Each structure stands twice: as C-alpha cells, then as structure tokens.
Amino acid sequence: MTPEQNKIADKMKIVKAAWDKAPSGPKKDAALKHYQAAEKAHTAKNDADTNKELDAATHALA
C-alpha cells in the first residue's frame, strides 16, 4: 500500500473505534452509513471519496 492508503486505513480504524464507543441513536446510524460508504470507496481504491465519507462519519458522531 502507498503511504496515502496507509493513512486512510489508519483513519478508518480510528473512525470505526469512535463509532464502536458511540451511544446508540441517530448520530451513530448516520455515521454507520458514511462508514459503509467509505468502505466501498476504499475497496474501489477511491481515496478522495473514502476520505470524504470518513470525515462525514466523524462529523455525524460529533
């Protein structure tokens, strides 16, 4: 993996950990949708969309 892909993989782990700790509710549900979209983008090697969705997931949990 490239250094950029490593950063994204680390960011995915951080967002997933934050999601795991979040209390149930609409924020967690919204974050899950963004996280799942990030996983799809990551699988498709679309770094820009992956980052965008991870940022949206983080924002949804805030």
Side-chain angles (χ1 to χ4, degrees):
M1 286 201 290
T2 66
E4 182 65 22
Q5 288 171 327
N6 285 335
K7 284 183 194 173
I8 291 172
D10 288 344
K11 190 173 183 179
M12 288 186 77
K13 289 176 191 169
I14 291 166
V15 172
K16 178 70 166 93
W19 182 85
D20 286 340
K21 291 178 186 176
S24 296
K27 288 182 176 187
K28 188 170 184 173
D29 295 341
L32 178 61
K33 289 178 185 176
H34 289 296
Y35 185 79
Q36 289 171 334
E39 287 180 318
K40 287 181 185 176
H42 187 62
T43 300
K45 298 189 186 326
N46 187 335
D47 293 343
D49 280 353
T50 303
N51 263 325
K52 183 182 83 172
E53 292 296 343
L54 289 173
D55 289 343
T58 301
H59 182 72
L61 289 172

